[in-house]
Amino acid sequence: MKVRVTVTLKAGVLDPQGKAIEGALKGLGFAGVEGARQGKIIDLILAETSADAARATVTDMCEKLLANTVIENYHIDILG
Amino acid sequence: MKVRVTVTLKAGVLDPQGKAIEGALKGLGFAGVEGARQGKIIDLILAETSADAARATVTDMCEKLLANTVIENYHIDILG
């Protein structure tokens, strides 16, 4: 089963990487950029065949390793 | 207009960060992990109000800065 985890910074958390991207885009002439935030995705392949069980397992993974829940949100998409 | 750019490594490109995640998950007892690949997302806020124009602009941004098209694929989602 393929699962995509999307990890994004919570609102209000400073994002220097996003700011750097925004600055670089403006430097390249893209004047209409009003904001940029960077996050990450983790694509997992699991032996699990049940979507519910996979979601439960991946939630556990996120809490324990994949996301820092103090400053980050995570979202789980079961891709099948 | 909000736009999400998803940048992933092309198939076949070595992904040490993904391998590290896979190893760490196994080390935590998640035995069913068969693969892990890491990618990134960039959430942009643009002054542009037309979805077509935004997609064209962001494609240009991806080609020039956001993705290394030699080893990475990018996907653009217009979030509205």
Side-chain angles (χ1 to χ4, degrees), chain B residues 20-73:
Chain B
I21 291 169
E22 187 180 339
L25 287 172
K26 285 179 179 164
L28 284 171
F30 295 104
V33 182
E34 296 178 347
R37 303 275 286 173
Q38 177 154 4
K40 61 189 168 188
I41 57 170
I42 299 143
D43 284 329
L44 296 168
I45 300 172
L46 301 179
E48 188 62 65
T49 52
S50 144
D52 285 349
R55 186 176 292 276
T57 303
V58 175
T59 301
D60 200 20
M61 289 176 182
C62 287
E63 294 287 336
K64 285 184 178 162
L65 181 76
L66 301 180
N68 175 353
T69 54
V70 176
I71 56 167
E72 292 172 329
N73 292 319

Side-chain angles (χ1 to χ4, degrees), chain A residues 4 6 8 21 24-25 30 32-47 60-61 65-66, chain B residues 4 6 8 21 24-25 30 32-47 57 60-61 65-66:
Chain A
R4 172 164 289 185
T6 306
T8 50
I21 291 168
L25 287 171
F30 295 104
V33 183
E34 295 178 346
R37 304 274 286 172
Q38 177 154 6
K40 62 190 167 187
I41 57 171
I42 299 143
D43 285 329
L44 296 167
I45 300 172
L46 302 179
D60 200 20
M61 288 176 183
L65 181 77
L66 302 179
Chain B
R4 171 164 289 185
T6 306
T8 49
I21 291 169
L25 287 172
F30 295 104
V33 182
E34 296 178 347
R37 303 275 286 173
Q38 177 154 4
K40 61 189 168 188
I41 57 170
I42 299 143
D43 284 329
L44 296 168
I45 300 172
L46 301 179
T57 303
D60 200 20
M61 289 176 182
L65 181 76
L66 301 180

